[in-house]
Amino acid sequence: SNFIDDLRVYVRGGTGGMGYPNLGGEGGRGGDVWFVARERTTLKSIREKYPHKRFVAGTGANSSVKALKGEKGKDCEVHVPLGISVLDDDGKQIGELNAAGERFLAARGGLGGSLATNFLPCKGQRRTVHLDLKLIADVGLVGFPNAGKSSLLSKISHAKPEIANYAFTTIQPELGKIMYADYKQISVADLPGLIEGAHANKGMGHKFLKHIERTKQLLLVVDISGFQLSMKTQFRTAFETILLLTKELELYKEELVTKPALLAINKMDLPCAKDNLDELMTQLENPQDFFHLLEEEMIPENTLEFREVIPISTYTGEGIEELKTCLRKSIDEQAEQVNEEYRKKKLLLLQTSK
């Protein structure tokens, strides 16, 4: 695949320099290995540039008559994409890098030789770590295969995802940016299509769901005429599709259902779409009244509260501008809410310090 979202690398801090016993000289400390978040970097580019996937920092300088205190070894800086979780070999998260310029100390250099170490240098820290990428985007498109997510992304942004009329067209995340007249930009991620059982890692399961964790808001994209993956699977109405998507998110990680969410009802150009939409809106007003129509295992613990429900057609362009406006409004409201909470917290800290 062209897209890599997990890379295993070896890191080793530099060995310290030799001490100088006769004059009490201290060797330089070994260099450190740092991961530094950098825009326009990918895990694929790291693998291509460093096929051995080994990063070793420089050795500290020995103490000498001319320089009793040896110089520190050269640091090794590895540029990594934004949205990286650093995991140890046991899968435990030891760090994360979300914004450009953020740094993580991956391997510390060893101490130089000194009186404390009998003037012998120490080796640097060494370990194998996983760089696990979770996309960071304002909006994550969520939907079953063939719901029209790729078509929608191409309509609202400058992205050019692969589009075809069969399931599983998207096999790797696609990022696009919506550009507004006042130069505001909103990043949108089209993520590989979910299927029933994704939470249990069926299909692209966890590979898909982990990326949703790093989006601020969800945009569910649903086919108004329903969805059927194949002849062997059951047909699902638009209402059932929404509940199944909610269930998959909930089973993977309950907090995903608490994210702000919007709903785009796609393919409104199809025959009977208007009647189907009227029925769906009735069901969404009181979803509990229609739970009896479904198998018990399909029903989520909590239903998603949609900020907006927008009927669209990626084929005719109906509702696309309205959707862009709604996304902008929702993102701005969320930002204002975060700022307000921050201001209240600051005020509370000031009051308690007095």
Side-chain angles (χ1 to χ4, degrees), residues 6-216:
D6 179 69
L7 192 65
R8 190 169 180 258
V9 298
Y10 172 80
V11 289
R12 192 179 84 209
T15 304
M18 291 290 291
Y20 200 107
N22 296 350
L23 298 174
E26 193 175 308
R29 201 166 73 77
D32 304 317
V33 179
W34 292 89
F35 293 144
V36 184
R38 178 72 59 87
E39 286 179 350
R40 289 188 289 278
T41 302
T42 65
L43 292 182
K44 187 189 176 193
S45 66
I46 296 171
R47 191 178 69 176
E48 286 173 350
K49 195 175 178 182
Y50 308 99
H52 296 297
K53 296 176 284 185
R54 290 171 61 86
F55 301 98
V56 181
T59 304
N62 295 334
S63 172
S64 64
V65 176
K66 290 181 181 176
L68 287 177
K69 173 74 176 170
E71 280 193 22
K72 182 178 183 286
K74 190 179 178 186
D75 285 350
C76 172
E77 286 197 354
V78 186
H79 294 149
V80 300
L82 276 59
I84 283 285
S85 293
V86 186
L87 314 175
D88 64 17
D89 242 356
D90 297 326
K92 183 187 169 195
Q93 185 172 313
I94 52 177
E96 62 178 7
L97 298 146
N98 293 328
E102 282 187 357
R103 300 165 65 85
F104 173 76
L105 180 59
R108 191 180 291 280
L111 293 172
S114 64
L115 185 63
T117 65
N118 206 18
F119 297 99
L120 294 172
C122 299
K123 289 183 177 177
Q125 183 183 14
R126 60 182 71 193
R127 59 184 171 183
T128 302
V129 295
H130 288 265
L131 301 176
D132 188 42
L133 175 67
K134 295 174 183 176
L135 284 177
I136 295 181
D138 295 313
V139 179
L141 302 183
V142 180
F144 284 137
N146 221 28
K149 301 193 310 304
S150 297
S151 300
L152 178 59
L153 187 68
S154 68
K155 283 278 185 191
I156 61 177
S157 75
H158 297 293
K160 291 182 173 61
E162 184 185 338
I163 300 163
N165 61 346
Y166 51 86
F168 296 113
T169 50
T170 306
I171 55 169
Q172 60 192 47
E174 288 274 1
L175 264 179
K177 274 191 163 56
I178 306 176
M179 312 284 284
Y180 292 90
D182 61 354
Y183 303 106
K184 164 87 175 176
Q185 296 183 18
I186 289 177
S187 57
V188 182
D190 172 21
L191 306 161
L194 268 175
I195 61 168
E196 289 179 49
H199 70 277
N201 216 10
K202 284 184 186 172
M204 302 196 72
H206 291 178
K207 223 172 165 56
F208 162 87
L209 288 159
K210 74 170 187 178
H211 291 304
I212 292 190
E213 293 179 61
R214 293 291 183 92
T215 58
K216 293 176 188 170

Side-chain angles (χ1 to χ4, degrees), residues 235-250:
F235 172 80
R236 304 295 189 189
T237 64
F239 178 64
E240 289 172 339
T241 302
I242 293 164
L243 292 183
L244 274 171
L245 288 169
T246 308
K247 185 75 172 174
E248 289 301 334
L249 297 177
E250 188 178 73

Side-chain angles (χ1 to χ4, degrees), residues 304-335:
L304 280 168
E305 296 288 331
F306 296 111
R307 291 187 167 198
E308 300 278 355
V309 178
I310 311 103
I312 64 165
S313 167
T314 55
Y315 182 69
T316 64
E318 176 195 338
I320 298 297
E321 287 305 314
E322 187 192 344
L323 175 61
K324 285 163 74 170
T325 304
C326 289
L327 285 171
R328 168 75 184 264
K329 182 180 168 219
S330 187
I331 290 289
D332 287 349
E333 282 175 358
Q334 187 182 15

Side-chain angles (χ1 to χ4, degrees), residues 336-352:
E336 185 53 43
Q337 194 179 339
V338 170
N339 290 339
E340 186 59 34
E341 284 169 8
Y342 177 76
R343 284 195 291 269
K344 282 179 182 174
K345 203 176 285 183
K346 277 286 197 191
L347 190 64
L348 192 66
L349 280 170
L350 282 169
Q351 288 169 345
T352 51

